[in-house]
Amino acid sequence: MKKDIFITTPYITLGQLLKEENIVESGGKAKWYLKENMVYLNDEPENRRGKKLYKGDTVSIPDVGMFFIKTK
């Protein structure tokens, strides 16, 4: 699945993205999820839930999908 994520702020955190896309239920679960699953930010492994995602960033989660950060 490929999906565009539209933000109205300068950035969104990786944990917020996981919550908004219903991959996890809370920030605490995001921390666990990132330890247990591979998540790639711009084709590089990323495991920090507080990592800021900006316009143009791509998040890829195997078996879940790709998310493209865009502004409205």
Side-chain angles (χ1 to χ4, degrees):
M1 170 183 77
K2 294 182 179 180
K3 185 172 182 182
D4 293 336
I5 306 297
F6 292 96
I7 58 174
T8 57
T9 57
Y11 64 87
I12 185 173
T13 66
L14 182 55
Q16 289 172 323
L17 172 75
L18 294 174
K19 274 180 59 177
E20 285 187 18
E21 291 305 309
N22 296 316
I23 298 167
V24 299
E25 296 174 8
S26 68
K29 290 187 180 183
K31 185 176 182 178
W32 168 83
Y33 184 87
L34 291 168
K35 284 184 179 183
E36 300 292 323
N37 298 278
M38 293 301 299
V39 175
Y40 298 92
L41 172 61
N42 301 324
D43 297 323
E44 296 290 327
E46 183 58 66
N47 63 3
R48 297 172 289 173
R49 68 180 172 171
K51 177 67 177 170
K52 295 176 182 175
L53 309 175
Y54 297 94
K55 176 184 173 185
D57 284 340
T58 301
V59 176
S60 177
I61 306 171
D63 299 323
V64 175
M66 291 187 76
F67 303 92
F68 304 98
I69 310 300
K70 298 184 175 188
T71 56
K72 286 189 177 186

